[in-house]
Amino acid sequence: MVTNKPYLSDIELPRRADLDALRGLTLLEFGTDWCGHCRAAKPFLEEALAQHPQWQYLKIEDGPGKALGRSYRVKLWPTLVLLQDGQEVGRLVRPTNVQELLVALSV
């Protein structure tokens, strides 16, 4: 499944300028493998993304002091930032059901 891919590490991360220049729809997930809230949201993400394959999906490992997460003002995990042509069009923090994801991905 699409959400089984690992979080991008520091050496794999795109630069903020690269994300700002993206075309199309992109979902950024900021979190970690060991985060209980991130693991709890995983089935909801899988179901929602399966219904919205037009979204590019990037899992970004986050933590205190990590520049990319701070540039998006991430404070809690998971934080899902929805981009359209590089611009933020939505955000979900710690989603608890598939319906809120489906609504957000229907931009």
Side-chain angles (χ1 to χ4, degrees):
M1 297 226 144
V2 78
T3 58
N4 285 337
K5 64 183 178 178
Y7 285 93
L8 297 174
S9 68
D10 287 342
I11 60 172
E12 300 170 306
L13 287 179
R15 295 175 303 130
R16 174 65 191 254
D18 296 330
L19 294 173
D20 291 343
L22 287 174
R23 295 287 138 233
L25 300 170
T26 305
L27 172 63
L28 307 176
E29 177 192 348
F30 290 91
T32 68
D33 285 327
W34 52 262
C35 168
H37 295 286
C38 299
R39 289 192 308 260
K42 185 177 175 179
F44 309 133
L45 274 167
E46 287 176 352
E47 185 176 340
L49 287 169
Q51 295 181 45
H52 290 277
Q54 70 274 27
W55 285 85
Q56 176 181 318
Y57 174 58
L58 297 174
K59 291 175 71 169
I60 298 171
E61 187 172 349
D62 193 40
K66 296 214 178 198
L68 190 55
R70 302 305 65 77
S71 76
Y72 283 100
R73 300 173 321 279
V74 172
K75 295 183 181 179
L76 297 171
W77 303 323
T79 292
L80 308 175
V81 178
L82 293 82
L83 304 177
Q84 183 171 18
D85 296 330
Q87 300 300 309
E88 185 172 337
V89 294
R91 176 181 294 243
L92 292 170
V93 178
R94 294 188 175 169
T96 58
N97 63 69
V98 72
Q99 189 59 36
E100 64 185 316
L101 284 162
L102 290 171
V103 168
L105 294 176
S106 297
V107 173

